[in-house]
């Protein structure tokens, strides 16, 4: 069945939803995005995604085309029109269509291109993978150095995901100067005893919305949180490992580069953090 897609103020059947060949998103990857999960027809951590969107736009000197209330209304309308119970809303804002190709930014009053669409994912929260865990490989992190901006330049993460697929595993962890930065589209963690260890925020990683929530819940649950670098070797020897993202929530990692993490089974802490995250986020969903 055809989805209803949002393009620059219009709700259109997906076959009719189009943007220009001169769009800066298409020609230059000059755009930012957000992905918000939907559970029970409601948006998860919507506020967090709005704040990060605003920050990404500011960092790229782009004007936010909508207020948070307007973004919420568009998200809700799309979820309703597409009858989404569990799934995601993808949002993209590009620097628009200047009518030609040029490295220089177009005038600031050039209208941005705003596209949103839904992805239905029945069973998203009850994912079987959460019970078996992911296996990952490590690959060099050769991305640009503003990974804190959520841009649509996703070719390298896409290549890393393909390397993982070819290796028969679920994802890749990116390694720079000997330390794990993050996963292809998620933040990476290890667990040692009662301590959750994850890389500190900087321009080296995306500031995950799920990361912020999970670290808050971990502290509330009397877990210790240490924000520091770790190596693949330390991760392989840890008690547990996991990743977080808006669409995978908290996902245990049971194997890294062929070595079992801990017992090789899904860990207690990752499982508990997933439960807490989903419970709390469902309660706060809008
Ligand atoms: N790191 C990267 C590179 C990502 O692409 C993502 C999500 O797409 C994340 C981390 C997790 O961020 P969030 O929890 O906001 O989905």
């Amino acid at each position: 069945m055809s989805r209803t897609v949002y393009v620059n103020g219009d709700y259109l059947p997906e076959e009719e939803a189009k943007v220009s060949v001169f769009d800066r998103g298409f020609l230059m990857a000059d755009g930012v995005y957000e992905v918000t999960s939907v559970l029970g027809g409601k948006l998860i951590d919507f506020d967090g995604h709005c704040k990060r969107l605003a920050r990404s736009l500011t960092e790229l000197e782009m004007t936010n085309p909508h207020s948070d209330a307007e973004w919420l209304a568009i998200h809700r309308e799309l979820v309703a029109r597409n009858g989404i119970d569990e799934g995601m809303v993808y949002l993209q804002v590009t620097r628009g269509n200047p009518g030609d190709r040029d490295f220089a930014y177009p005038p600031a009053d050039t209208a941005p291109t705003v596209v949103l669409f839904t992805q239905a994912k029945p069973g998203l929260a009850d994912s079987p993978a959460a019970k078996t865990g992911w296996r990952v490989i490590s690959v060099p992190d050769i991305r640009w150095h503003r990974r804190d901006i959520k841009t649509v330049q996703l070719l390298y993460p896409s290549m890393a995901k393909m390397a993982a697929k070819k290796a028969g595993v679920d994802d890749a962890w990116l390694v720079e100067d000997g330390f794990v930065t993050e996963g292809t589209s998620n933040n990476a963690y290890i667990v040692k005893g009662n301590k959750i260890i994850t890389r500190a925020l900087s321009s080296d990683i995306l500031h995950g919305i799920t990361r912020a929530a999970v670290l808050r819940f971990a502290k509330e649950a009397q877990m210790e949180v240490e924000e520091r670098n770790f190596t693949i070797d330390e991760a392989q020897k840890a008690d547990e490992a996991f990743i977080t993202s808006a669409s995978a929530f908290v996902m245990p990692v049971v194997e890294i580069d062929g070595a079992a993490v801990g017992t090789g089974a899904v860990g207690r802490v990752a499982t508990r953090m997933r439960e807490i995250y989903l419970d709390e986020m469902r309660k706060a969903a809008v």
Side-chain angles (χ1 to χ4, degrees):
M1 203 187 72
S2 168
R3 275 175 288 193
T4 296
V5 164
Y6 177 93
V7 187
N8 297 329
D10 295 323
Y11 293 89
L12 301 167
E14 63 183 49
E15 300 78 14
E16 292 170 29
K18 296 190 168 62
V19 298
S20 166
V21 294
F22 297 115
D23 194 275
R24 298 264 312 177
F26 177 62
L27 294 179
M28 305 276 184
D30 186 357
V32 301
Y33 76 108
E34 282 297 328
V35 177
T36 305
S37 272
V38 178
L39 293 178
K42 289 185 169 180
L43 298 154
I44 299 297
D45 213 341
F46 185 75
D47 207 37
H49 289 284
C50 267
K51 285 202 177 85
R52 185 172 59 192
L53 172 66
R55 180 179 182 276
S56 295
L57 290 167
T58 301
E59 291 298 314
L60 296 178
E61 297 170 50
M62 286 165 72
T63 308
N64 194 336
H66 293 295
S67 65
D68 289 2
E70 287 167 350
W71 283 124
L72 180 59
I74 299 168
H75 277 73
R76 282 182 165 160
E77 185 67 27
L78 266 192
V79 167
R81 287 192 190 220
N82 291 291
I84 304 294
D85 180 52
E86 289 202 5
M88 281 101 78
V89 180
Y90 176 88
L91 170 168
Q92 179 169 329
V93 182
T94 79
R95 208 180 300 271
N97 162 27
D100 203 350
R101 181 174 181 273
D102 192 345
F103 277 78
Y105 292 172
D109 61 356
T110 306
T113 301
V114 179
V115 169
L116 287 91
F117 56 81
T118 54
Q119 295 179 290
K121 302 272 178 195
L124 184 67
D126 199 22
S127 159
K131 294 180 183 78
T132 52
W134 278 5
R135 295 184 300 139
V136 303
I137 54 167
S138 61
V139 300
D141 193 344
I142 58 165
R143 296 172 301 163
W144 78 328
H145 284 274
R146 286 307 306 275
R147 302 159 191 159
D148 54 316
I149 310 175
K150 198 166 168 66
T151 77
V152 297
Q153 311 175 53
L154 295 176
L155 183 54
Y156 188 66
S158 192
M159 289 167 72
K161 192 75 180 179
M162 288 312 293
K165 275 189 96 164
K166 280 183 197 146
V169 300
D170 302 287
D171 199 25
W173 278 12
L174 310 177
V175 176
E176 186 171 58
D177 299 331
F179 296 104
V180 175
T181 50
E182 55 190 334
T184 58
S185 58
N186 47 69
N187 292 114
Y189 308 74
I190 57 174
V191 179
K192 290 171 117 179
N194 191 41
K195 196 186 290 176
I196 295 178
I197 300 161
T198 193
R199 197 176 174 108
L201 295 182
S202 71
S203 54
D204 294 341
I205 62 169
L206 185 75
H207 301 189
I209 302 306
T210 320
R211 178 190 183 281
V214 164
L215 294 188
R216 190 172 75 241
F217 297 142
K219 286 172 193 160
E220 284 168 13
Q222 311 306 324
M223 297 229 27
E224 218 180 307
V225 171
E226 198 175 318
E227 296 182 62
R228 65 156 171 90
N229 288 358
F230 60 86
T231 63
I232 289 290
D233 183 56
E234 185 179 9
Q236 287 170 326
K237 291 178 181 141
D239 298 325
E240 294 183 32
F242 64 91
I243 61 94
T244 64
S245 76
S247 52
F249 311 119
V250 179
M251 182 63 68
V253 169
V254 295
E255 183 192 295
I256 304 171
D257 284 339
V261 179
T263 63
V266 160
R268 186 183 54 83
V269 172
T271 303
R272 183 77 192 112
M273 290 318 303
R274 183 180 175 91
E275 282 168 8
I276 296 175
Y277 176 81
L278 284 170
D279 282 354
E280 293 299 322
M281 285 305 176
R282 279 184 197 277
K283 277 189 232 159
V286 297

